[in-house]
Amino acid sequence: FTIRVRDLEVPVISGCPSNITLNTIPGTCNATATWTPPTATDNCQLASITTSTPSGSSFPAGVNTVTYVATDTSGNFALCSFNVTVIDVQSPVINNCPSNISTTTDPGVCGALVSWTPPTATDNCGINSFFTTHSPGTSFPVGTTTVTYTAADNAGNTQTCSFTVTVADNQNPTITGCPGNQTVSTGVSTCAAIVSWTAPTASDNCVLSSLVGSHTSGSSFPLGTTTVTYTATDNSGNTSTCSFTLTVEDTR
């Protein structure tokens, strides 16, 4: 009769590497990992020990599994696996960030349309998003506004680029309805005259701060010529004036 002895024992793998964590090489989206390869023994005869990825290989960002397979001549096999994790720690790079911008208000409005050449962004592994708080051609109010661009990659690394847009109000207020020059006679038994007029009005492209006259309508004016001046001032300190004369003559 025949006795057949079958080998059912799998090989034994020793020295299986532990998990490896690496950072990406500067300027690339990968890292090179090295380790001491494991060894294998078998109760009968080892046929081979193979690996999915040899030591010294380049690995992309993320989790990469390396597997060793030991096989004996009977076809029994054993596995050994570990992970090579490559972490992208490099922030995106923003190129050509605009310089600070200074301008004045557009005619008749309290702001300015401002344009610029948008910056660009690059990353060693790729840009996930690139957004801005304001777009070129946006209307900016009087004062200083900060514009920020933010670039983010797939690993959550971010980079920002900021510049300011300063809009100055250089437009003077507008005075309308300025009275014309007047000539009046002195009153009865007096050497002066009470003079009235319709006060002018003022407007501004931004905010009018005040409209002040040097004299008030209905006041008494002495003999001779007096100049009445109205001054309009806005919140930025720009001013406009309106003047007219009141001439009081003694005709009595």
Side-chain angles (χ1 to χ4, degrees):
F1 58 95
T2 300
I3 298 177
R4 177 178 294 177
V5 179
R6 298 174 59 189
D7 177 16
L8 300 179
E9 295 185 45
V10 299
V12 176
I13 299 178
S14 304
C16 190
S18 300
N19 292 335
I20 300 172
T21 299
L22 300 170
N23 292 335
T24 52
I25 299 171
T28 71
C29 193
N30 52 58
T32 300
T34 59
W35 59 86
T36 300
T39 58
T41 58
D42 189 70
N43 61 313
C44 287
Q45 184 176 354
L46 187 70
S48 65
I49 180 168
T50 59
T51 180
S52 58
T53 312
S55 175
S57 296
S58 179
F59 292 84
V63 178
N64 306 274
T65 300
V66 178
T67 301
Y68 279 85
V69 180
T71 307
D72 65 17
T73 54
S74 297
N76 302 303
F77 65 90
L79 301 177
C80 152
S81 295
F82 61 96
N83 292 330
V84 176
T85 302
V86 179
I87 301 175
D88 175 20
V89 295
Q90 302 176 58
S91 297
V93 176
I94 298 179
N95 307 293
N96 301 317
C97 189
S99 300
N100 295 336
I101 299 172
S102 294
T103 188
T104 56
T105 51
D106 294 335
V109 297
C110 192
L113 295 176
V114 182
S115 294
W116 59 86
T117 300
T120 58
T122 57
D123 187 72
N124 61 312
C125 289
I127 295 294
N128 178 267
S129 64
F130 189 37
F131 59 89
T132 179
T133 55
H134 302 77
S135 299
T138 299
S139 178
F140 287 81
V142 170
T144 299
T145 302
T146 299
V147 178
T148 301
Y149 280 84
T150 303
D153 63 18
N154 289 328
N157 302 304
T158 61
Q159 185 62 270
T160 61
C161 145
S162 296
F163 61 97
T164 60
V165 175
T166 301
V167 179
D169 175 20
N170 66 343
Q171 300 180 57
N172 294 327
T174 299
I175 299 177
T176 55
C178 191
N181 298 332
Q182 296 185 49
T183 299
V184 298
S185 298
T186 54
V188 178
S189 302
T190 66
C191 193
I194 302 242
V195 184
S196 297
W197 61 88
T198 300
T201 59
S203 60
D204 189 70
N205 63 311
C206 287
V207 178
L208 188 70
S209 174
S210 63
L211 177 61
V212 179
S214 59
H215 301 76
T216 304
S217 176
S219 298
S220 177
F221 287 83
L223 189 68
T225 299
T226 301
T227 298
V228 177
T229 300
Y230 279 85
T231 302
T233 305
D234 65 18
N235 280 352
S236 296
N238 302 304
T239 61
S240 290
T241 59
C242 149
S243 295
F244 60 96
T245 61
L246 296 178
T247 301
V248 178
E249 297 179 342
D250 182 9
T251 59
R252 300 178 188 276

